[in-house]
Amino acid sequence: MEVSKIAVIGAGTMGHGIAEICAISGFEVSLNDVAENILNSAIEKIKWSLEKLYEKKQIKEEPSQVLARIKTSTSLDEVLKDADFMIEAAIEDLNVKRDIFKKADMLAPSQAILASNTSSLPITEIAESTQRKSKVIGTHFFNPPVLMKLVEIVRGKYTDDATLNVSIQLCKKLEKEIVVVNKDIPGFVVNRILARVVDTACMLVYNGVADVEDVDAVLRYRLNFPMGVFEVADYSGLDVFYFIHGIMTSRGFKARLCPILEEKFKNKEYGVKTGKGFYTYPGPGKYQKPQLEKERATKLDPSIILAHAINEAAYLLREGIATKSDIDKAVMLGLGYPKGIFRFADEFGIDRVVAALEKLSEITGEEIEIDPLLSKMVKENKLGVKTNEGFYRY
Ligand code: CAA
């Protein structure tokens, strides 16, 4: 099936960015949300972004030419009636998504594929609200979609090969790199790993081991991450993280919500969008990179921040949810890490990672189940770079 018209449902942080990349790649886009003012604000943001990309010669067409391919409407019927492919990017609420998919199933042409940008909800249950379960799939983009190269493509229980192939081809036309997630598990690959880093970082701060800036300085200056973890949380929205965490844990992901995150959510300190989160910004929606002193980067051992994420990655690999190279690719392209999570593990040393997990359990008072794969590697002396073999051979 040839895709030429794409409907994007939801014009918030992710929806407007997805609409923008679709239009940049030459597709006709119809963007929908519940109110005109949300759509107007989305178009303003797309315009700003296109002008930035044009100035830097990252797009060839003038912004106005790209914008001409994006139509907006508050009517679902209007945007879906001739769509070949829908990408839904509404709020992370299963009932809302199921309702949208139920309506989309009735409004869109029968051959159209219905995709969700959900980062944590089950594709299978979303599909069950339609009569075309085999044509429902997950296409999970990362924030900001114009700059982040990754899309996690998630197969639900009913997704057929044709739907998977059309979705892969479409994402390639959007110039994205793809990781196929074989099982519809909560948080897929990237958000499970990210959740472990956010939770660890937040619990270290909550337990008085480090300050927000100490953690972010380690990540930025010693591990060369593009953003510290609290920066990413503020950037994407603490409300988003709060909801995703709730959904993931309700679906069996074992984690405790960090009390600081809970408090910030209750105080509506959502990060960049409200002007305050872990950091303070010049105003609501005004992003400015937080200043971090380099000296702070020496206060914490980097392995303790990443240990739980490495443990999670070991689980994903052992369970066959994604391949080793795809998991590494996912964190590099979805989170901007300078190298894969397994490379970090091998460099720290697997024994050091296990020791860091034990220390983390002591600090937080919560037991962490060490993944059997890590224990086996320690037993077999596959400790990483220092023994010439860990997740990779050296
Ligand atoms: N469109 C166009 N340009 C944009 C832009 C956008 N939407 N957003 C930012 N830019 C511009 C900036 O304004 C800046 O321009 P100038 O050079 O003119 O100042 C330029 O891009 C680069 O920005 P930075 O200086 O901040 O450069 P950077 O090298 O740090 O790159 C980044 C930015 C790609 C976002 C990088 O910081 C990064 O990879 N960060 C990690 C982001 C991340 O982890 N995302 C995942 C979030 S989690 C998620 O999405 C999953 C989920 O389900 C919750």
Side-chain angles (χ1 to χ4, degrees):
M1 185 183 84
E2 195 62 39
V3 174
S4 63
K5 288 191 176 160
I6 300 177
V8 179
I9 314 300
T13 309
M14 296 305 292
H16 88 264
I18 294 169
E20 179 183 352
I21 52 171
C22 293
I24 290 173
S25 299
F27 293 97
E28 292 296 328
V29 182
S30 44
L31 179 60
N32 165 270
D33 210 309
V34 290
E36 283 294 343
N37 64 328
I38 303 176
L39 290 170
N40 294 341
S41 148
I43 292 295
E44 281 311 307
K45 287 187 201 135
I46 294 174
K47 206 164 155 227
W48 172 87
S49 173
L50 288 171
E51 276 161 10
K52 235 172 171 156
L53 298 173
Y54 187 66
E55 260 169 42
K56 292 186 190 165
K57 300 198 170 28
Q58 285 164 352
I59 53 170
K60 289 193 191 82
E61 280 183 302
E62 290 203 15
S64 58
Q65 286 172 288
V66 178
L67 268 176
R69 284 195 287 276
I70 305 179
K71 312 249 175 322
T72 60
S73 171
T74 53
S75 151
L76 264 183
D77 182 19
E78 198 57 41
V79 298
L80 284 163
K81 66 180 184 211
D82 54 359
D84 305 309
F85 200 102
M86 172 186 94
I87 305 176
E88 170 279 323
I91 56 165
E92 286 290 281
D93 178 317
L94 185 59
N95 289 330
V96 171
K97 290 195 193 285
R98 281 173 61 94
D99 187 48
I100 292 172
F101 273 72
K102 191 174 170 199
K103 288 180 181 146
D105 186 32
M106 291 186 286
L107 298 170
S110 60
Q111 73 282 6
I113 289 175
L114 307 179
S116 175
N117 179 56
T118 182
S119 55
S120 50
L121 291 166
I123 299 302
T124 303
E125 283 175 44
I126 295 173
E128 281 166 354
S129 64
T130 73
Q131 303 295 319
R132 60 176 98 187
K133 295 190 283 233
S134 63
K135 290 189 164 56
V136 176
I137 194 161
T139 50
H140 180 216
F141 293 77
F142 292 82
N143 185 31
V146 275
L147 302 183
M148 305 308 287
K149 290 301 281 177
L150 186 73
V151 180
E152 284 179 318
I153 297 201
V154 187
R155 281 193 95 133
K157 188 166 121 191
Y158 311 101
T159 313
D160 64 19
D161 288 345
T163 301
L164 180 70
N165 289 335
V166 172
S167 307
I168 291 175
Q169 291 317 317
L170 172 64
C171 290
K172 285 190 175 161
K173 284 188 189 149
L174 300 177
E175 292 181 30
K176 296 295 175 200
E177 294 277 343
I178 289 139
V179 163
V180 176
V181 183
N182 297 317
K183 287 188 200 161
D184 192 5
I185 58 162
F188 313 133
V189 170
V190 174
N191 272 346
R192 288 180 84 93
I193 291 177
L194 179 61
R196 294 304 185 197
V197 188
V198 173
D199 286 351
T200 302
C202 197
M203 290 307 279
L204 288 173
V205 174
Y206 179 68
N207 285 287
V209 176
D211 290 336
V212 164
E213 291 84 354
D214 300 332
V215 177
D216 277 0
V218 170
L219 295 174
R220 216 202 265 176
Y221 300 122
R222 282 176 69 189
L223 299 185
N224 290 322
F225 280 27
M227 289 181 174
V229 63
F230 293 109
E231 276 184 76
V232 172
D234 271 6
Y235 186 74
S236 291
L238 302 188
D239 52 336
V240 175
F241 277 80
Y242 179 88
F243 285 125
I244 290 178
H245 205 279
I247 294 163
M248 285 171 60
T249 47
S250 72
R251 292 183 58 214
F253 181 74
K254 278 193 208 147
R256 179 186 161 202
L257 182 68
C258 173
I260 307 177
L261 193 59
E262 192 162 14
E263 193 189 308
K264 295 220 170 275
F265 178 78
K266 282 194 182 134
N267 294 338
K268 294 199 165 53
E269 292 176 6
Y270 297 158
V272 177
K273 65 175 91 167
T274 57
K276 194 170 184 327
F278 287 103
Y279 297 96
T280 304
Y281 301 89
K286 294 201 162 48
Y287 176 65
Q288 190 179 62
K289 211 168 173 58
Q291 297 288 319
L292 292 175
E293 294 154 17
K294 276 212 165 125
E295 303 80 70
R296 284 184 175 266
T298 54
K299 292 196 182 161
L300 211 56
D301 177 354
S303 68
I304 199 160
I305 310 177
L306 290 196
H308 207 173
I310 292 167
N311 198 49
E312 188 64 41
Y315 160 82
L316 293 169
L317 177 62
R318 190 175 47 75
E319 286 286 316
I321 286 149
T323 63
K324 193 191 300 176
S325 59
D326 270 1
I327 295 170
D328 271 353
K329 179 172 155 185
V331 297
M332 290 165 75
L333 302 178
L335 300 171
Y337 290 8
K339 58 180 94 131
I341 191 87
F342 294 121
R343 294 276 174 201
F344 277 117
D346 280 356
E347 282 175 23
F348 294 147
I350 309 303
D351 50 345
R352 202 171 133 209
V353 171
V354 170
L357 285 167
E358 283 160 357
K359 182 149 184 226
L360 198 58
S361 289
E362 238 171 70
I363 293 169
T364 61
E366 278 160 54
E367 206 193 324
I368 301 172
E369 281 171 38
I370 293 167
D371 192 85
L373 178 57
L374 295 185
S375 306
K376 184 167 171 270
M377 289 170 78
V378 172
K379 223 172 173 181
E380 291 172 354
N381 205 37
K382 292 181 181 164
L383 302 180
V385 178
K386 63 184 165 193
T387 57
N388 299 329
E389 189 178 350
F391 285 102
Y392 294 97
R393 281 176 189 274
Y394 299 88

